[in-house]
Amino acid sequence: MNRNSARQTMRHLQLLILGVVASCTTADLFAQDAIQTGSVNQVAVSTELNVVKLYGAGGFAGLDAYQSGFFVSPDGYILTAWSTVLDVEHIVAVTSDGGRLKAELRGIDPNLEIAILATGQPTNNYFDLSQSTDPKVGTRVLALSNLFGIATGNEMASVQRGIVMAQTELNARRGAFESIYQGTVYVIDAMTNNPGAAGGALVDLRGRLVGMLGKELRDTDANIWLNYAIPISSIKESADNIIAGESIARADTGRPKSDRPAQLSQLGVVLVPNVLSKTPPYVDTVQPGSIADSAGLEDDDLILFVNSTRIASQNVLLNELEFLDRAESIALLVQRGNEIKEIVLSP
Amino acid sequence: MSVLQDKNPYASPIRRKQPLKIRSQLFSLFPLAVAIAWAAICTLSLPAQQALDTPQQVETEEQPSAGEQLTTEELLANTTEELLANEERAFQQAVQRAAPSVVQIETFGSPRQSGSELVSDGPTTGTIISEDGWIISSLFSFRDQPASVLVSLPDGQRAAAQVVSRDYSRELVWLKVDAKGLPTAQIADPKSIAVGHWAIALGKTYDRSTVSQSVGIVSALGRAYGKAVQSDAKISPINYGGPLIDLSGRVIGILSPISPGSFLEGDSTELYDSGIGFAIPLGDVLSRKSTAQAGEDIHSGLLGVVADDQNELAGPVKISGASPGSPAARAGVRAGDIVVSAFGQPIKLLANLRHALGPVDAGSNFEFSVDRQGETIQFECLLAKEIPVYQRRYLGLRIRTVASKGGSSSLEITAIEKASPASNSPLRPGMRIVKIDHIDNPSEDQLLSAIAVAELDTPLNITVRTDEGDERIIPLLAGTWPQSLPEELPIRTGPDDDNLEAEVTEISLGDFPNKTFVITPPTHSDPAADTAPASQGLLVLFPEPGELEQEKTLNHWNAFCRDHGWIVVVINSGNPRAWAREEVELGSRVLLKMENTYDIDSKRIVIGGLGVGGRISLMVAAAHAERVSGVLALGTDLGRFALRQRNAPKRSLDFLLVGNQERLAPQVTALQKSGYAAIAIDAPMLEPAKWETVPAESIRLWLEGLGRL
């Protein structure tokens, strides 16, 4: 590495930044400054007007008593995340101009974990859900929320910039609890999900609403905190229904276990002894003449996938079989030495 | 494994997260400023950009204005929206160019312990570096050998991969799949990698087909002791193993969980989401191709010199000695040598030496030169993967510094420990040490250094002067530090007057609210005028969280203080229910304050704790191994606490673990395996908050033992 040139570059960069900053403060360049920063600034300011600071229950046992929300209609309905903060009779919504509104819970969607609050106050500052858009991975975004409850009174919500880092299915939990919402989310590369940020707005650089910031969640796969927003396209229909006065029941999203689950013995497979918490599902023996035998499964094969489910251990395999019907065929992806083979077990 | 998060009452993930994330909020402001300023620079000022002496500037290529000289006014006419759109397009093009060589990797059946923060079941990312199937990933998912590794190739097929080599120095892994014609990563010209340039981190953890992307800038070069590029793009398990690319889609480096020096294992998680992430320059990865592809693992190279002052900013780098059995010892480095250069570059600070050593692998050549009494001596040696585990040396002497005629001072032997190496020698109390090996009139620290690095089969030559004024040379083999309590020790005598009481003062620790007391022994004037006042031992205690019965605590240590001349500091937790990780910082505050206020004997600085406080004490000691000499854990369940660094000369820690001996046995074994002296004392009745149950005599013997040489 050429440190000298790096240092030099850094110095240049610093000088240039200083130059830019200095020029911003010079009166005769003020107009140019406005041109340069106007767009992002306008987007931020105009969209921030739609964001409210919400105060409700909490404040003990590590739960926060505040979160964020935003107006989604001219008659003062607010979209936010459904959380314990809303477990009070009167929720207080503080608008960006310091207005203090009493808000009532209009309704919730327990599947999306969203809530609509009614303030009864007409407003010009709202996001039109029908104007929302779906960003691509890599799109630059701004997150608007009252994270850490740092804004009070007529202070604007905080703006963070980032990009849509990935789009993925949510498979996360808070503490030991699985997230109820299991749909698509946008993962953001900025720290957007902190206490108080839930219910905030995610907009693109044209000010178009793209998502609602979700509650704090831990990514179970990567084992890190997840910064994400739920796409408005997933929320819109439900939000409209709640505003229209419909109540939305908890859908049973649980995967039903099979009445006649598949079993290793019925398939003719004996695995190596399951002694570790994550024993690899190696086949110890295949019973001659069994379903597994005729499908071509062999001793020492390592089972990697069952249908499309990744099998990280024997325990995962045993659990997965409970959801499969023994009358239906099962596609296995196995490793034999260095080879990857697909094997279909047909009863 | 993570030691701080698991089953640890004072560091639940949620508690720990917030301060980090608040910090990251602050961090995020700078890139924003830089991003805006940089964006302005990119479009505004072509000449300015060239001034950045970066030959390859794709930023400008992507701009419509490139190639023509526009006036400032014309350039300003570009709205920010256009600018941002162009920039975003440039990001996307870069990502598209690099994306095909980024693959998702799944591991199966890793036999890892569950329940730890760092365990990752999920997929991880790899970067293809050759068309015939060599792939680099990070060690994150490969610390243990998985039963199977599958790589999702660009055609959508999964292929089995072999783990061929692990680079423990850079936390990377080399994988091989059988394939042909794979798209490969293109390497960025190292000269074009510069601080402030855009850098995009790619991963494929979330999705087999689409890369995840996070945009940042290059924050620094030569980090982690010269091994890594730092970026503020989001770098985490989401993209470890993926590439950090520049705006032309070329690979700057491979994203790695590497973190610059930390003592306790599992610390790299501390940098998640902090605006700091690292990538190993691809050139540094590829230059190890032949080693890695031959299936050899790569390790950091160890030299084995021990600097007098372990402070990184200390200089010149004077050597207290070469660790016995190390490359430096074999090359002939001696105590007193000053390292002046490495590979022709000047070494002025210890940090310079660490940076010079950082990128050098075990088995590679290291050239350095030392100044030995005005003469420059060149050394060349192969760095080692391992240095024999170091066990602390001792002779069994007690010494004091006495003033000699003529204003200088010398070391007088005051006592000789029973059953020690010195007890069978002609050394006697009252003798003065005038020379050790080739060092004339050694200071206490020089004597200590010489003993610390003594080979166990080569005697030290100690020249002493007797009361009669005769000088004689006494050869003496050092022994390894005792792993059991001595039966008795030369006891420091307290004041004869029993009415003298220790003094208790409350002190303030800056912005920490913790109630902290200092108990100091009564001062007494020593009648022997030629003796400097004896320096005192320091015991810093972290009790169980919450207010202890203050009076009892103070009474208990009061007597100890008075009789043995130790200063005891008791720090209460800020939160009455739990210790917080941040409170580890209290340790260094107290040490600094005490060292500045009192004459502390550097051989006898002990950090202790009761119950949960014992964990804090271990963390404090780990962070300050060069100053702390002992760790006292009373009734502490140390669980899976592990020290990442092994024992080293002049950084030795002695452990006294008091509690259920059976439960402490594995800890003692683990510590001894790393070279530390560790003793377990059975005290099954020990209730952490009750001082009466603490076996005071054992602790006293152990504490006093620390004063030996």
Side-chain angles (χ1 to χ4, degrees):
Chain A
M1 214 65 42
N2 186 340
R3 293 224 186 90
N4 242 352
S5 96
R7 253 200 304 275
Q8 221 169 14
T9 307
M10 192 132 89
R11 209 162 40 231
H12 281 137
L13 183 60
Q14 280 165 352
L15 286 176
L16 284 166
I17 293 171
L18 282 178
V20 170
V21 172
S23 73
C24 293
T25 56
T26 314
D28 60 348
L29 288 173
F30 188 74
Q32 294 168 8
D33 173 35
I35 291 169
Q36 283 309 304
T37 60
S39 183
V40 178
N41 180 255
Q42 275 163 17
V43 166
V45 171
S46 63
T47 52
E48 265 183 313
L49 294 174
N50 307 350
V51 176
V52 293
K53 306 171 277 285
L54 296 174
Y55 301 91
F60 55 89
L63 296 171
D64 303 304
Y66 55 90
Q67 63 183 37
S68 307
F70 49 88
F71 288 113
V72 292
S73 77
D75 41 0
Y77 285 107
I78 294 168
L79 173 64
T80 186
W82 178 41
S83 76
T84 52
V85 176
L86 308 181
D87 286 349
V88 282
E89 201 174 336
H90 288 293
I91 301 146
V92 174
V94 178
T95 58
S96 52
D97 60 359
R100 214 180 141 82
L101 306 175
K102 271 188 186 171
E104 278 176 14
L105 194 62
R106 172 74 171 171
I108 60 163
D109 183 332
N111 306 307
L112 290 166
E113 292 194 283
I114 59 163
I116 294 285
L117 309 179
T119 62
Q121 285 284 324
T123 179
N124 293 323
N125 299 319
Y126 65 93
F127 288 108
D128 185 345
L129 293 183
S130 61
Q131 300 296 309
S132 69
T133 177
D134 286 329
K136 279 191 292 214
V137 170
T139 303
R140 291 178 157 197
V141 286
L142 299 178
L144 314 165
S145 75
N146 189 20
L147 74 167
F148 293 112
I150 197 162
T152 56
N154 62 353
E155 288 181 52
M156 291 279 197
S158 302
V159 183
Q160 291 169 281
R161 57 97 213 183
I163 65 168
V164 176
M165 189 175 183
Q167 183 175 321
T168 190
E169 299 295 305
L170 195 57
N171 170 24
R173 60 184 176 180
R174 163 145 199 173
F177 302 106
E178 289 268 322
S179 155
I180 295 168
Y181 177 63
Q182 292 281 312
T184 304
V185 293
Y186 303 131
V187 181
I188 317 300
D189 77 339
M191 303 307 302
T192 50
N193 296 71
N194 266 309
L202 190 73
V203 301
D204 68 10
L205 288 196
R206 293 186 188 176
R208 294 178 299 188
L209 184 66
V210 300
M212 184 195 81
L213 300 182
K215 295 195 273 192
E216 289 176 271
L217 281 179
R218 224 172 151 74
D219 178 326
T220 48
D221 273 352
N223 246 322
I224 54 170
W225 294 92
L226 192 64
N227 299 294
Y228 70 100
I230 304 173
I232 295 300
S233 51
S234 307
I235 294 175
K236 185 184 175 302
E237 186 186 344
S238 179
D240 288 344
N241 289 343
I242 300 170
I243 291 173
E246 284 178 35
S247 72
I248 295 166
R250 175 80 199 266
D252 185 9
T253 50
R255 195 174 159 206
K257 286 199 176 177
S258 172
D259 296 335
R260 298 166 303 161
Q263 284 175 337
L264 289 174
S265 55
Q266 158 249 338
L267 297 168
V269 177
V270 178
L271 299 177
V272 296
N274 189 2
V275 288
L276 301 166
S277 61
K278 287 167 72 183
T279 311
Y282 276 109
V283 175
D284 195 14
T285 46
V286 175
Q287 318 241 298
S290 66
I291 296 171
D293 188 25
S294 50
L297 196 70
E298 291 182 10
D299 295 358
D300 301 331
D301 282 356
L302 176 64
I303 298 171
L304 303 173
F305 281 83
V306 170
N307 296 332
S308 59
T309 303
R310 196 168 78 89
I311 304 300
S313 69
Q314 285 201 19
N315 295 338
V316 174
L317 174 62
L318 296 175
N319 182 55
E320 181 63 21
L321 290 179
E322 301 204 2
F323 295 95
L324 303 180
D325 194 312
R326 65 173 62 177
E328 287 174 15
S329 56
I330 299 169
L332 299 183
L333 195 69
V334 303
Q335 182 171 359
R336 184 174 301 159
N338 225 355
E339 245 181 305
I340 305 297
K341 280 192 166 319
E342 188 169 312
I343 287 174
V344 180
L345 307 176
S346 309
Chain B
M1 286 311 110
S2 165
V3 293
L4 299 175
Q5 291 83 21
D6 186 34
K7 296 182 205 150
N8 193 334
Y10 52 82
S12 77
I14 294 170
R15 286 173 54 88
R16 180 182 132 259
K17 183 186 77 165
Q18 290 179 10
L20 284 175
K21 287 168 74 176
I22 294 170
R23 201 172 57 199
S24 73
Q25 295 308 318
L26 298 176
F27 268 111
S28 71
L29 296 177
F30 176 68
L32 179 59
V34 173
I36 291 171
W38 184 251
I41 294 159
C42 288
T43 348
L44 269 180
S45 46
L46 206 51
Q49 183 119 92
Q50 282 157 353
L52 287 170
D53 68 50
T54 51
Q56 176 210 4
Q57 275 304 335
V58 185
E59 288 95 331
T60 52
E61 284 167 23
E62 303 297 344
Q63 302 303 326
S65 57
E68 18 172 338
Q69 289 292 323
L70 299 181
T71 65
T72 309
E73 286 71 24
E74 282 172 310
L75 283 164
L76 284 173
N78 284 334
T79 64
T80 309
E81 196 174 327
E82 274 176 77
L83 184 151
L84 291 169
N86 286 339
E87 220 169 46
E88 195 168 307
R89 209 173 62 211
F91 294 154
Q92 288 314 306
Q93 286 179 6
V95 170
Q96 279 162 24
R97 277 177 216 163
S101 63
V102 185
V103 291
Q104 188 181 77
I105 300 170
E106 292 155 301
T107 58
F108 296 82
S110 288
R112 301 186 80 183
Q113 294 265 4
S114 54
S116 161
E117 179 108 349
L118 278 179
V119 167
S120 162
D121 258 351
T124 188
T125 306
T127 305
I128 304 173
I129 56 157
S130 78
E131 61 86 27
D132 62 342
W134 284 97
I135 295 167
I136 307 292
S137 183
S138 83
L139 268 188
F140 185 72
S141 297
F142 294 96
R143 287 188 202 280
D144 297 306
Q145 184 64 43
S148 175
V149 182
L150 288 193
V151 175
S152 291
L153 295 177
D155 62 5
Q157 293 297 308
R158 285 187 170 95
Q162 304 298 322
V163 179
V164 179
S165 168
R166 290 177 170 85
D167 183 339
Y168 291 98
S169 178
R170 290 160 198 81
E171 311 233 349
L172 298 178
V173 64
W174 289 67
L175 306 175
K176 177 73 172 72
V177 294
D178 282 335
K180 282 275 169 281
L182 297 179
T184 59
Q186 298 303 304
I187 183 169
D189 178 358
K191 288 199 282 290
S192 75
I193 303 169
V195 172
H197 282 194
W198 289 115
I200 310 174
L202 304 184
K204 238 177 187 176
T205 303
Y206 281 121
D207 192 326
R208 281 178 70 201
S209 49
T210 321
V211 289
S212 68
Q213 38 191 290
S214 173
V215 178
I217 59 169
V218 174
S219 308
L221 304 177
R223 280 285 197 263
Y225 298 120
K227 288 189 276 196
V229 170
Q230 182 185 323
S231 172
D232 70 342
K234 198 173 159 77
I235 296 169
S236 70
I238 287 170
N239 49 25
Y240 287 155
L244 184 70
I245 60 169
D246 64 14
L247 267 199
S248 64
R250 291 173 196 272
V251 176
I252 296 170
I254 306 292
L255 306 172
S256 161
I258 195 172
S259 69
S262 50
F263 200 92
L264 289 162
E265 287 197 3
D267 270 3
S268 59
T269 51
E270 290 303 296
L271 291 176
Y272 284 5
D273 300 341
S274 61
I276 293 176
F278 301 100
I280 308 298
L282 186 55
D284 293 351
V285 178
L286 297 178
S287 66
R288 286 160 177 86
K289 192 170 155 182
S290 55
T291 309
Q293 295 192 350
E296 286 171 46
D297 286 344
I298 297 163
H299 299 265
S300 298
L302 304 176
L303 177 61
V305 293
V306 183
D308 259 358
D309 191 337
Q310 292 289 329
N311 183 335
E312 290 220 317
L313 299 177
V317 185
K318 197 168 172 197
I319 302 302
S320 10
S323 191
S326 67
R330 283 197 299 267
V333 174
R334 279 202 215 153
D337 288 353
I338 294 169
V339 182
V340 289
S341 72
F343 292 121
Q345 297 294 310
I347 301 292
K348 296 200 167 96
L349 311 173
L350 185 56
N352 300 150
L353 181 59
R354 294 211 171 136
H355 271 94
L357 281 165
V360 186
D361 298 334
S364 296
N365 200 38
F366 187 69
E367 292 169 25
F368 63 107
S369 54
V370 304
D371 179 299
R372 183 176 295 164
Q373 288 158 347
E375 187 191 349
T376 303
I377 303 170
Q378 301 270 357
F379 289 105
E380 228 185 292
C381 59
L382 296 184
L383 296 188
K385 174 176 123 189
E386 273 185 309
I387 288 175
V389 173
Y390 171 74
Q391 285 176 308
R392 190 170 176 185
R393 276 53 164 149
Y394 88 121
L395 299 177
L397 301 177
R398 296 299 162 127
I399 53 154
R400 63 171 183 168
T401 307
V402 290
S404 309
K405 291 167 207 102
S408 65
S409 61
S410 63
L411 300 176
E412 184 192 285
I413 298 173
T414 56
I416 289 174
E417 194 173 327
K418 275 191 181 172
S420 68
S423 65
N424 292 324
S425 76
L427 289 175
R428 293 289 174 269
M431 289 178 168
R432 295 193 180 191
I433 296 173
V434 294
K435 192 173 180 184
I436 180 144
D437 284 346
H438 50 277
I439 304 171
D440 286 317
N441 284 321
S443 66
E444 179 176 343
D445 192 56
Q446 283 172 320
L447 179 62
L448 202 125
S449 297
I451 297 170
V453 296
E455 296 283 357
L456 293 172
D457 54 1
T458 315
L460 289 164
N461 287 313
I462 304 170
T463 311
V464 292
R465 185 183 301 136
T466 62
D467 280 350
E468 295 79 43
D470 304 334
E471 279 196 13
R472 54 188 292 204
I473 299 174
I474 299 174
L476 181 57
L477 268 184
T480 55
W481 196 262
Q483 299 269 8
S484 59
L485 290 178
E487 282 166 29
E488 61 175 281
L489 282 169
I491 293 166
R492 281 157 192 276
T493 46
D496 297 330
D497 188 350
D498 272 353
N499 294 326
L500 283 174
E501 283 286 313
E503 194 183 321
V504 181
T505 13
E506 186 170 351
I507 57 164
S508 137
L509 294 172
D511 47 343
F512 281 100
N514 305 56
K515 236 179 167 29
T516 304
F517 296 92
V518 179
I519 315 171
T520 44
T523 44
H524 59 284
S525 53
D526 201 310
D530 65 336
T531 311
S535 51
Q536 294 162 314
L538 174 66
L539 173 60
V540 179
L541 286 171
F542 292 86
E544 281 274 19
E547 291 282 317
L548 282 171
E549 295 160 73
Q550 206 67 57
E551 206 176 321
K552 270 192 179 173
T553 308
L554 299 182
N555 282 343
H556 181 90
W557 293 103
N558 196 312
F560 174 81
C561 257
R562 189 193 59 208
D563 297 342
H564 307 296
W566 281 68
I567 296 172
V568 179
V569 181
V570 182
I571 306 174
N572 290 292
S573 64
N575 174 345
R577 277 178 306 185
W579 280 104
R581 196 197 149 85
E582 291 76 34
E583 287 173 299
V584 169
E585 170 66 17
L586 285 166
S588 56
R589 297 271 181 108
V590 165
L591 287 175
L592 194 66
K593 197 160 184 141
M594 292 295 113
E595 285 167 346
N596 285 340
T597 316
Y598 300 97
D599 180 18
I600 304 287
D601 178 0
S602 62
K603 299 193 297 300
R604 295 183 294 145
I605 297 179
V606 175
I607 312 290
L610 262 80
V612 176
R615 293 181 166 207
I616 289 281
S617 70
L618 180 58
M619 285 190 266
V620 171
H624 301 284
E626 78 285 0
R627 297 154 89 180
V628 171
S629 34
V631 179
L632 171 62
L634 300 165
T636 304
D637 177 10
L638 287 172
R640 293 197 284 111
F641 261 77
L643 289 172
R644 179 181 275 186
Q645 280 183 24
R646 300 186 315 181
N647 200 14
K650 300 207 79 188
R651 294 176 64 85
S652 290
L653 289 174
D654 265 27
F655 290 83
L656 185 69
L657 312 180
V658 184
N660 183 323
Q661 201 157 21
E662 213 167 286
R663 286 226 299 274
L664 292 174
Q667 279 300 326
V668 168
T669 312
L671 288 166
Q672 288 179 346
K673 237 178 160 171
S674 299
Y676 296 101
I679 300 171
I681 296 293
D682 202 23
M685 299 301 289
L686 181 74
E687 285 179 60
K690 295 229 171 81
W691 294 103
E692 307 88 86
T693 57
V694 171
E697 181 61 14
S698 305
I699 293 173
R700 190 186 63 80
L701 281 171
W702 178 77
L703 286 172
E704 285 303 314
L706 295 174
R708 61 167 80 92
L709 278 178

